[in-house]
Each structure stands twice: as C-alpha cells, then as structure tokens.
Amino acid sequence: MSSNTLPRQIVGLVTAVLLAVLAVLWLALLSVRQTMDTNAIEDSSQRVIGRVHSLQDSVSLLAGDYHNWTDLYLAAQNRATDRLSSNYGITAHRGDVFQYAELFDGPLPAPVSWQAGAGLAPQGGLLSPQTRAALRAVVPTLDSSERQTFDFFEMRDGMPVMFSASYLLPENAQLLAEVQPNSAAIAVIGKILEKDRFQDMEQELSISGLDVLPEPPPKDTVFTTLAGVTGEPVAWMRWSPPQPGTQLFWKMFPIMGAFSVVFVIMSYWAAMLLRSKAAVLIEREAISSGRARSDALTGLPNRYAMREHLSKLRKQAEQQCAVIAIDLVRFKVINDTVGHLGGDAFLVEFSKRLNELRDEHTFVARYGGDEFFVVSAAPEGLEEIVARKCLALQRLSDTPIICHGVSFEVQTSKGLAFDDRQAMDHEELLRRADRAMYSAKLRETLEVIRYDRRMESEDLDHKHIERELRRALTDGSGFTMYYQPILPAKGGDGPLRYEALARWFSPELGQVPPDQFIKVAEASGLIMQLGWVLLDHICKDMKLLKDAKVSINVSPTQLMSRGFAEKFTAYVRAHDISPERIEVEVTEQIVLRDDVTISQELITLSANGFTLALDDFGTGFASIGYLMRMPFDALKIDRSFVRAIEEGEDGMRMIRSIIGLARAMGLSIVAEGVETETDAARLRINGADFLQGYHYGRPAPIDHYLRTTTPAS
C-alpha cells in the first residue's frame, strides 16, 4: 500500500461516517417526531374513549336509580299514566337530567314515551321497533340485583344520545321477590351528548375539532365509534389530537439546519486534516487495536480478551482455573418492552454490577449478546474464591434494574466448570461452563449449576450418538417409522388419523430412544438431514395407508430454515401425497423462540394446505397472543394434564380450561396419553375431539395397520 493510499482511504471512510452520523441525527429527529405524534394519537384515543365511557356510566347510574323505583313500578303495573308522567315523564320533559324516556312491554299495552319540551302527555314512537326488539332480547340477560343496565347510542336530530335500558323494578326487596320474569316493563332513558360537553372535553383532553359524524370519517382521521343497540356503529366521534412531535420538529429545524451546515464544514476540514496527518492516524489505529479487546457497549473485556486471558492462565501451571457462564433470563422480553436502546441500557447497568466482581483473582468479560463469563484463578483456595463469587452473583438479583422507566428483575442462568486437570483446553472449559449454564436454563433455576460427571457422561453419550447418527444418515439405514392411532372421541368405524413416530436401530448402540437421537440431531445440526430421511419413509408409508391423515412432528430448527415450507411441500407433492392428508405438529418451544422466520414458514405451510397442530400444549411456554397470530388448526393436550384427571377436580378444571380456550379460538382438541376408558370417557364428556394413547394402541410399524382394519380399543 502506497503512502497516499491509506490517507485517502481514511478520508473516504471518515467522510462517509460523518455523513452517516448527520443522516442518523436527521432520521432520529424525524423518528422522534413520528413517535411523539403517534403516542399523542394513542393517548388521545384512550382518553376520549375513557371519557365517553364515563359519560355512559353516568347515564347508567341515573337509569339504575330511576328504573328501581317502587312508586314508578306500581304506577306502571296499574297503568297509571298520570303518575308515570308526574314521576318519570316530568324529568324528561324538563330535560335537566335526561331528555328522553320510554316504557314498553310488561303490563303496558303500548309504549309510552316523553322527551324534553314535549309536555307531560305520554307520546308513542320514541324508539324504533327494531330497537325495542333488540332490547327485548338483551334486557332479560341483565343482572337486576346489581342494577345492571344496557347502554347504547342513537343519533337524534344530528346529536348523539346516550341511552340506558333495564327492567322497571321496585327497590322494595319483598315486592321485588314477587316480580315474575318478563312481567315488568322495560324502561329506557336517554341523555343528549351536547356540544358544550364537546368543548369541555377538548379543553380537558387537549384536543380540537371534536364532533360527531353520521358517516365514517376519512382513513387518516382519528376517531372512535359510538355503538348502537345491536353493537353496530351509529355514529363516529372524530377529533384532532395534539402534535407534539411536529411542533418539536419545527422548533428544532433551524437549529438542526445550522448544525448541519457547520457539521459539513467541519467534516471537510477534518477530512483535510486527517489526510495531512496520516502518520497520526496510523498511530491511532495501532492504539485502537488495544481497544479491540474491549466490548464497545459495556466497556468490559470481550471474548477475544477473555481467550487471551485463558491462554495466559494455561501457561501458568500453578494456577487453578474455574469459569462461570452467565446468561440473562428472558432478555428478549426486555428488548420487546423498552426497545433495543433500553436493552442496551440494561446490559450496561448489569455489566457495571458484574464488573464489581473483578479483583486480582477474577476476570469478567462479555462474550456477546446477553452472555457473560467470570474467570477465577488462584494457586490455591479456588473453591472458596468461586463460592464467594457465586454468592456475589446471587446478590446481583437483589435490586431490579430500571430502564426507560420500567423496572426489570435481574435473573440469570449460571453454569460453573473447573479445570480439574489444570491443563484443559480453554475451549473445552468454556464449553463445559456453557453446558452447565444450559442445564440451569432447562431447570429454570437461578442457582449456579456445576458441571459434573453426569453431564460429562451425557456429553460422551451425545458424541457417540452423533458419530453413529452421521454414519446412519449417509445411507439412511436403521430408520423406521411407527404409527399411533388417533381416534375420534365420539367413536367411529376406525382410526383415520395416525401420528408418525421415528425409531432408529444402530448396529453399535442398539435401539436408541427417539428423544435422545432427535435431541442430538438438533444440537449437532443434523436435524435437517434427518427430517428429510424420515419424511421419505412417511410418504412411502402413506401410499399404503391410503386416505388416512398422518401427523408429522417438525422441529423449530427446521422451521428456522428459510424456504423450508416450500421445500417440504414440494417433497410431499413429489410423492403424490395431498398436503391435506398431513398435519404438521410443532411444540411450544416455537413460542419461546418467536422467530420471524418460524412464523412465516408456519403461515406458508398453512397456505399450502397442511393443517397445523401445537403439540404438548400447557407445558409452560404457550402464548395466547402467539396462538391468535398463527394459523393453528388443533391443540394437543399434553399427557401430563390427562394424567392429572385422576388427581381430582383440579385436573379436570385444567382440562376444561384448555378445551374452552381451544373452542374460543376455533381449534380442534387432541388429548394425548389416554390409557384407560375412564380417561377417555371424561375427556369425551368435556369436549375433546380426538383421543390418542395406549388405550387405543401403542405405536406400531406400518405392517401392523396393513394387517388389521382397525386396532383394538
């Protein structure tokens, strides 16, 4: 590189960065403007809606008083219209409390009504026949003991009127007990939402242009609907919210404009200065190489510095070493709540606390994301040092961290590993600490979990299974599919549905349990290859199962591969299998990951004709919001809940709650783990659609179902 090349590169880079900074400042100002205006719109909407509800509540309270009045009830029962007029109609006639009133049905042969300024003589036809019909349907459902009313809006002479309806009942308890259902009149009062009230709302809520329209306003208008007696909008209340962001933008515009001009001039001057001072820049570049060992956000040593530190410790034979891996629990929730800037602020504060653990024996580093490491080393007494550090780590959770006004608990998963041989490769030591931390995360404990011989044995088994699995996947040997019937809860001619379950026999390991080799496949990145091998077996079997529907389990890791859904569809159709015959099952872990790619792949699978089922529902991760966003067709109740049926009413209550949730979302229900007819009968009574378990048949190879028309039940 020539002596002129580096200065030109530096000048170009610095110029680009400075211009980018300027662009970011303007974009930030525009973003603040939009955010503040949007928040103002949302805030005004909540406050206007709240005020409207408050006004409706005031009318409801009036109705509760006027419609629970013994004298008025007796007058209606005796059809004494003169007494009704003097006690009820006069209030509407005066118009100072409410402006409309009507009584109908019950003992009254025809509706009687009054309105402001129309005199005390009862009138007819205040409410339309459709309104009365709607009230006849809803008023009987009200709780009279709580003076419950039904509230709705109507437009009268271009003005919105808040109506409140209920039965006309006596407040006398003895007389109330004698009232026969539907024998009382239905009473309705209406209060006009007047324009002076609009002006008060504008002043109180800092809005303008508040009015009511009989037609929907334009899309760019801020509005709320006023619901009629049937729930349909009868009017639209619109207003102009405050625009604090726009006001701030125009106040800042002259300042930002002047700043931009000065910034450009200074940038040009800086570029020229840098070009003339290439030697200084080269020297600073050398200095910055030292900064490469520090984390830019938190200032802690980064992973590179930590590896250097471990390498130095390894060269010191007298030093004993231990590593604690730390992972923040549900850090994604913090980012989702206060944004990435808030998440960064949380990381900075947590790093400050963690940095207090540093001393002559302890090194602290941020490994990346929300993962940190604490490395302790000493010639002797390391166990005591680590114990103190673990206790200090526990105390980090005592005080929440406040980010952008939101308080968050400090919860971490922690794994500990010791260099027992005092010569362990630092990558292996880090892996062990990370493995122990992952175990703590699975156990959902905040205690420090130490890497032990059981984990070491599991890791050795994992490596052995992985080696044999790679061998088996080269030719696809040893894999078979078993099928378990899924029967309609209400009975039928036989099972039309099966769940496909993978089995693997290794010549060296023997029969390997599915949960073991599938877990290894996911951890080692072999799950994609394994998935296609198993799908090939399933499609060939489905040719023999004719019209039966088969449920296939798909890993979240597979769904995180962009384009998986289309490839899956093409693979199935290449075997001349209709997607409608396949139900894709996913576990609740997809909710925990909540990956955009997973969501898109699920939507694509549904659009291509596959049905979707959420497996093991109720084991702790499912989000109702996620269920509502995703096109699931079925819920599979985890067998642990089916087992809970035998424990009493609490188990049944949980089953009924899950089934009720599924019903509300239009999902079918499959209950797993049915082992007795008693289980089946209880699930059938409570609304399960399909049943699966040993009571109806254990998983069996395809030949079993080809020999029998229906499995024994």
PDB file of all heavy atoms in Angstrom, residues 642-643 645-646 673-684 691-696:
ATOM      1  N   VAL A 642     -53.625 -35.022  31.095  1.00  0.00           N
ATOM      2  CA  VAL A 642     -54.536 -36.166  31.089  1.00  0.00           C
ATOM      3  C   VAL A 642     -54.324 -36.994  32.348  1.00  0.00           C
ATOM      4  O   VAL A 642     -55.272 -37.471  32.969  1.00  0.00           O
ATOM      5  CB  VAL A 642     -54.323 -37.004  29.813  1.00  0.00           C
ATOM      6  CG1 VAL A 642     -55.208 -38.249  29.844  1.00  0.00           C
ATOM      7  CG2 VAL A 642     -54.625 -36.178  28.575  1.00  0.00           C
ATOM      8  N   ARG A 643     -53.044 -37.166  32.753  1.00  0.00           N
ATOM      9  CA  ARG A 643     -52.757 -37.900  33.989  1.00  0.00           C
ATOM     10  C   ARG A 643     -53.368 -37.180  35.195  1.00  0.00           C
ATOM     11  O   ARG A 643     -53.757 -37.809  36.167  1.00  0.00           O
ATOM     12  CB  ARG A 643     -51.239 -38.022  34.197  1.00  0.00           C
ATOM     13  CG  ARG A 643     -50.492 -38.819  33.144  1.00  0.00           C
ATOM     14  CD  ARG A 643     -50.556 -40.325  33.394  1.00  0.00           C
ATOM     15  NE  ARG A 643     -51.903 -40.877  33.254  1.00  0.00           N
ATOM     16  CZ  ARG A 643     -52.496 -41.069  32.077  1.00  0.00           C
ATOM     17  NH1 ARG A 643     -51.869 -40.773  30.968  1.00  0.00           N
ATOM     18  NH2 ARG A 643     -53.723 -41.553  32.005  1.00  0.00           N
ATOM     19  N   ILE A 645     -56.122 -35.893  35.506  1.00  0.00           N
ATOM     20  CA  ILE A 645     -57.557 -36.170  35.678  1.00  0.00           C
ATOM     21  C   ILE A 645     -57.780 -37.064  36.889  1.00  0.00           C
ATOM     22  O   ILE A 645     -58.737 -36.903  37.655  1.00  0.00           O
ATOM     23  CB  ILE A 645     -58.125 -36.821  34.401  1.00  0.00           C
ATOM     24  CG1 ILE A 645     -58.099 -35.832  33.241  1.00  0.00           C
ATOM     25  CG2 ILE A 645     -59.545 -37.328  34.631  1.00  0.00           C
ATOM     26  CD1 ILE A 645     -58.583 -36.415  31.938  1.00  0.00           C
ATOM     27  N   GLU A 646     -56.876 -38.026  37.093  1.00  0.00           N
ATOM     28  CA  GLU A 646     -57.039 -38.986  38.174  1.00  0.00           C
ATOM     29  C   GLU A 646     -56.809 -38.362  39.549  1.00  0.00           C
ATOM     30  O   GLU A 646     -57.131 -38.954  40.562  1.00  0.00           O
ATOM     31  CB  GLU A 646     -56.061 -40.147  37.972  1.00  0.00           C
ATOM     32  CG  GLU A 646     -56.266 -40.865  36.641  1.00  0.00           C
ATOM     33  CD  GLU A 646     -55.176 -41.907  36.366  1.00  0.00           C
ATOM     34  OE1 GLU A 646     -54.285 -42.049  37.226  1.00  0.00           O
ATOM     35  OE2 GLU A 646     -55.243 -42.546  35.315  1.00  0.00           O
ATOM     36  N   GLY A 673     -51.994 -39.443  25.665  1.00  0.00           N
ATOM     37  CA  GLY A 673     -51.754 -40.180  26.898  1.00  0.00           C
ATOM     38  C   GLY A 673     -52.984 -40.814  27.507  1.00  0.00           C
ATOM     39  O   GLY A 673     -53.043 -41.033  28.712  1.00  0.00           O
ATOM     40  N   VAL A 674     -54.004 -41.137  26.687  1.00  0.00           N
ATOM     41  CA  VAL A 674     -55.219 -41.783  27.198  1.00  0.00           C
ATOM     42  C   VAL A 674     -54.908 -43.263  27.413  1.00  0.00           C
ATOM     43  O   VAL A 674     -54.637 -43.990  26.444  1.00  0.00           O
ATOM     44  CB  VAL A 674     -56.387 -41.607  26.219  1.00  0.00           C
ATOM     45  CG1 VAL A 674     -57.636 -42.280  26.774  1.00  0.00           C
ATOM     46  CG2 VAL A 674     -56.635 -40.135  25.956  1.00  0.00           C
ATOM     47  N   GLU A 675     -54.968 -43.715  28.654  1.00  0.00           N
ATOM     48  CA  GLU A 675     -54.584 -45.097  28.961  1.00  0.00           C
ATOM     49  C   GLU A 675     -55.735 -45.936  29.496  1.00  0.00           C
ATOM     50  O   GLU A 675     -55.614 -47.161  29.578  1.00  0.00           O
ATOM     51  CB  GLU A 675     -53.434 -45.096  29.964  1.00  0.00           C
ATOM     52  CG  GLU A 675     -52.161 -44.461  29.412  1.00  0.00           C
ATOM     53  CD  GLU A 675     -50.982 -44.569  30.349  1.00  0.00           C
ATOM     54  OE1 GLU A 675     -51.166 -45.138  31.448  1.00  0.00           O
ATOM     55  OE2 GLU A 675     -49.900 -44.100  29.988  1.00  0.00           O
ATOM     56  N   THR A 676     -56.845 -45.317  29.886  1.00  0.00           N
ATOM     57  CA  THR A 676     -57.977 -46.077  30.422  1.00  0.00           C
ATOM     58  C   THR A 676     -59.268 -45.570  29.808  1.00  0.00           C
ATOM     59  O   THR A 676     -59.344 -44.441  29.297  1.00  0.00           O
ATOM     60  CB  THR A 676     -58.065 -45.936  31.949  1.00  0.00           C
ATOM     61  OG1 THR A 676     -58.378 -44.570  32.280  1.00  0.00           O
ATOM     62  CG2 THR A 676     -56.750 -46.331  32.615  1.00  0.00           C
ATOM     63  N   GLU A 677     -60.293 -46.389  29.871  1.00  0.00           N
ATOM     64  CA  GLU A 677     -61.603 -45.975  29.369  1.00  0.00           C
ATOM     65  C   GLU A 677     -62.165 -44.839  30.217  1.00  0.00           C
ATOM     66  O   GLU A 677     -62.899 -43.987  29.713  1.00  0.00           O
ATOM     67  CB  GLU A 677     -62.571 -47.171  29.373  1.00  0.00           C
ATOM     68  CG  GLU A 677     -63.970 -46.862  28.847  1.00  0.00           C
ATOM     69  CD  GLU A 677     -63.951 -46.273  27.433  1.00  0.00           C
ATOM     70  OE1 GLU A 677     -63.039 -46.613  26.653  1.00  0.00           O
ATOM     71  OE2 GLU A 677     -64.835 -45.451  27.124  1.00  0.00           O
ATOM     72  N   THR A 678     -61.783 -44.816  31.518  1.00  0.00           N
ATOM     73  CA  THR A 678     -62.244 -43.718  32.380  1.00  0.00           C
ATOM     74  C   THR A 678     -61.692 -42.385  31.884  1.00  0.00           C
ATOM     75  O   THR A 678     -62.419 -41.386  31.790  1.00  0.00           O
ATOM     76  CB  THR A 678     -61.782 -43.968  33.832  1.00  0.00           C
ATOM     77  OG1 THR A 678     -62.319 -45.210  34.289  1.00  0.00           O
ATOM     78  CG2 THR A 678     -62.256 -42.837  34.742  1.00  0.00           C
ATOM     79  N   ASP A 679     -60.386 -42.379  31.536  1.00  0.00           N
ATOM     80  CA  ASP A 679     -59.795 -41.158  30.971  1.00  0.00           C
ATOM     81  C   ASP A 679     -60.545 -40.750  29.716  1.00  0.00           C
ATOM     82  O   ASP A 679     -60.882 -39.574  29.509  1.00  0.00           O
ATOM     83  CB  ASP A 679     -58.328 -41.378  30.624  1.00  0.00           C
ATOM     84  CG  ASP A 679     -57.466 -41.584  31.850  1.00  0.00           C
ATOM     85  OD1 ASP A 679     -57.920 -41.257  32.964  1.00  0.00           O
ATOM     86  OD2 ASP A 679     -56.332 -42.061  31.674  1.00  0.00           O
ATOM     87  N   ALA A 680     -60.791 -41.733  28.839  1.00  0.00           N
ATOM     88  CA  ALA A 680     -61.448 -41.440  27.566  1.00  0.00           C
ATOM     89  C   ALA A 680     -62.839 -40.868  27.783  1.00  0.00           C
ATOM     90  O   ALA A 680     -63.243 -39.901  27.125  1.00  0.00           O
ATOM     91  CB  ALA A 680     -61.508 -42.702  26.713  1.00  0.00           C
ATOM     92  N   ALA A 681     -63.596 -41.476  28.724  1.00  0.00           N
ATOM     93  CA  ALA A 681     -64.969 -41.017  28.962  1.00  0.00           C
ATOM     94  C   ALA A 681     -64.985 -39.587  29.486  1.00  0.00           C
ATOM     95  O   ALA A 681     -65.790 -38.757  29.049  1.00  0.00           O
ATOM     96  CB  ALA A 681     -65.657 -41.958  29.953  1.00  0.00           C
ATOM     97  N   ARG A 682     -64.083 -39.270  30.414  1.00  0.00           N
ATOM     98  CA  ARG A 682     -64.052 -37.912  30.968  1.00  0.00           C
ATOM     99  C   ARG A 682     -63.656 -36.891  29.905  1.00  0.00           C
ATOM    100  O   ARG A 682     -64.216 -35.799  29.833  1.00  0.00           O
ATOM    101  CB  ARG A 682     -63.078 -37.865  32.143  1.00  0.00           C
ATOM    102  CG  ARG A 682     -63.581 -38.615  33.369  1.00  0.00           C
ATOM    103  CD  ARG A 682     -62.524 -38.678  34.453  1.00  0.00           C
ATOM    104  NE  ARG A 682     -63.044 -39.288  35.671  1.00  0.00           N
ATOM    105  CZ  ARG A 682     -62.299 -39.637  36.709  1.00  0.00           C
ATOM    106  NH1 ARG A 682     -60.992 -39.409  36.675  1.00  0.00           N
ATOM    107  NH2 ARG A 682     -62.830 -40.187  37.771  1.00  0.00           N
ATOM    108  N   LEU A 683     -62.681 -37.224  29.088  1.00  0.00           N
ATOM    109  CA  LEU A 683     -62.260 -36.302  28.028  1.00  0.00           C
ATOM    110  C   LEU A 683     -63.358 -36.135  26.992  1.00  0.00           C
ATOM    111  O   LEU A 683     -63.576 -35.051  26.457  1.00  0.00           O
ATOM    112  CB  LEU A 683     -60.977 -36.823  27.368  1.00  0.00           C
ATOM    113  CG  LEU A 683     -59.722 -36.742  28.234  1.00  0.00           C
ATOM    114  CD1 LEU A 683     -58.617 -37.604  27.656  1.00  0.00           C
ATOM    115  CD2 LEU A 683     -59.250 -35.297  28.351  1.00  0.00           C
ATOM    116  N   ARG A 684     -64.064 -37.234  26.712  1.00  0.00           N
ATOM    117  CA  ARG A 684     -65.159 -37.174  25.736  1.00  0.00           C
ATOM    118  C   ARG A 684     -66.270 -36.251  26.233  1.00  0.00           C
ATOM    119  O   ARG A 684     -66.794 -35.418  25.498  1.00  0.00           O
ATOM    120  CB  ARG A 684     -65.678 -38.593  25.507  1.00  0.00           C
ATOM    121  CG  ARG A 684     -66.604 -38.752  24.311  1.00  0.00           C
ATOM    122  CD  ARG A 684     -67.048 -40.201  24.168  1.00  0.00           C
ATOM    123  NE  ARG A 684     -65.921 -41.088  23.904  1.00  0.00           N
ATOM    124  CZ  ARG A 684     -65.537 -42.071  24.722  1.00  0.00           C
ATOM    125  NH1 ARG A 684     -66.187 -42.283  25.856  1.00  0.00           N
ATOM    126  NH2 ARG A 684     -64.507 -42.826  24.405  1.00  0.00           N
ATOM    127  N   LEU A 691     -58.752 -38.672  20.553  1.00  0.00           N
ATOM    128  CA  LEU A 691     -58.054 -39.275  21.678  1.00  0.00           C
ATOM    129  C   LEU A 691     -56.899 -40.119  21.159  1.00  0.00           C
ATOM    130  O   LEU A 691     -57.008 -40.786  20.122  1.00  0.00           O
ATOM    131  CB  LEU A 691     -59.013 -40.146  22.498  1.00  0.00           C
ATOM    132  CG  LEU A 691     -60.285 -39.455  23.017  1.00  0.00           C
ATOM    133  CD1 LEU A 691     -61.175 -40.445  23.728  1.00  0.00           C
ATOM    134  CD2 LEU A 691     -59.928 -38.294  23.935  1.00  0.00           C
ATOM    135  N   GLN A 692     -55.788 -40.111  21.902  1.00  0.00           N
ATOM    136  CA  GLN A 692     -54.589 -40.832  21.498  1.00  0.00           C
ATOM    137  C   GLN A 692     -53.917 -41.369  22.743  1.00  0.00           C
ATOM    138  O   GLN A 692     -53.778 -40.677  23.742  1.00  0.00           O
ATOM    139  CB  GLN A 692     -53.634 -39.899  20.736  1.00  0.00           C
ATOM    140  CG  GLN A 692     -52.328 -40.519  20.316  1.00  0.00           C
ATOM    141  CD  GLN A 692     -51.413 -39.516  19.617  1.00  0.00           C
ATOM    142  OE1 GLN A 692     -51.802 -38.371  19.384  1.00  0.00           O
ATOM    143  NE2 GLN A 692     -50.216 -39.930  19.283  1.00  0.00           N
ATOM    144  N   GLY A 693     -53.495 -42.632  22.700  1.00  0.00           N
ATOM    145  CA  GLY A 693     -52.812 -43.201  23.849  1.00  0.00           C
ATOM    146  C   GLY A 693     -52.804 -44.709  23.796  1.00  0.00           C
ATOM    147  O   GLY A 693     -53.368 -45.337  22.886  1.00  0.00           O
ATOM    148  N   TYR A 694     -52.192 -45.317  24.801  1.00  0.00           N
ATOM    149  CA  TYR A 694     -52.054 -46.770  24.833  1.00  0.00           C
ATOM    150  C   TYR A 694     -53.400 -47.473  24.923  1.00  0.00           C
ATOM    151  O   TYR A 694     -53.501 -48.653  24.586  1.00  0.00           O
ATOM    152  CB  TYR A 694     -51.175 -47.172  26.008  1.00  0.00           C
ATOM    153  CG  TYR A 694     -49.708 -46.839  25.835  1.00  0.00           C
ATOM    154  CD1 TYR A 694     -48.815 -46.972  26.886  1.00  0.00           C
ATOM    155  CD2 TYR A 694     -49.216 -46.394  24.615  1.00  0.00           C
ATOM    156  CE1 TYR A 694     -47.469 -46.661  26.733  1.00  0.00           C
ATOM    157  CE2 TYR A 694     -47.890 -46.076  24.453  1.00  0.00           C
ATOM    158  CZ  TYR A 694     -47.016 -46.200  25.494  1.00  0.00           C
ATOM    159  OH  TYR A 694     -45.700 -45.896  25.326  1.00  0.00           O
ATOM    160  N   HIS A 695     -54.413 -46.795  25.410  1.00  0.00           N
ATOM    161  CA  HIS A 695     -55.736 -47.407  25.486  1.00  0.00           C
ATOM    162  C   HIS A 695     -56.257 -47.781  24.103  1.00  0.00           C
ATOM    163  O   HIS A 695     -57.029 -48.732  23.965  1.00  0.00           O
ATOM    164  CB  HIS A 695     -56.705 -46.437  26.172  1.00  0.00           C
ATOM    165  CG  HIS A 695     -58.111 -46.975  26.290  1.00  0.00           C
ATOM    166  ND1 HIS A 695     -58.409 -48.116  27.007  1.00  0.00           N
ATOM    167  CD2 HIS A 695     -59.292 -46.518  25.772  1.00  0.00           C
ATOM    168  CE1 HIS A 695     -59.719 -48.335  26.928  1.00  0.00           C
ATOM    169  NE2 HIS A 695     -60.269 -47.383  26.191  1.00  0.00           N
ATOM    170  N   TYR A 696     -55.827 -47.036  23.104  1.00  0.00           N
ATOM    171  CA  TYR A 696     -56.285 -47.305  21.738  1.00  0.00           C
ATOM    172  C   TYR A 696     -55.213 -47.989  20.887  1.00  0.00           C
ATOM    173  O   TYR A 696     -55.514 -48.467  19.792  1.00  0.00           O
ATOM    174  CB  TYR A 696     -56.706 -46.001  21.068  1.00  0.00           C
ATOM    175  CG  TYR A 696     -57.894 -45.358  21.740  1.00  0.00           C
ATOM    176  CD1 TYR A 696     -57.721 -44.259  22.586  1.00  0.00           C
ATOM    177  CD2 TYR A 696     -59.172 -45.860  21.579  1.00  0.00           C
ATOM    178  CE1 TYR A 696     -58.798 -43.677  23.228  1.00  0.00           C
ATOM    179  CE2 TYR A 696     -60.260 -45.291  22.209  1.00  0.00           C
ATOM    180  CZ  TYR A 696     -60.072 -44.203  23.036  1.00  0.00           C
ATOM    181  OH  TYR A 696     -61.133 -43.631  23.664  1.00  0.00           O
TER     182      TYR A 696
END
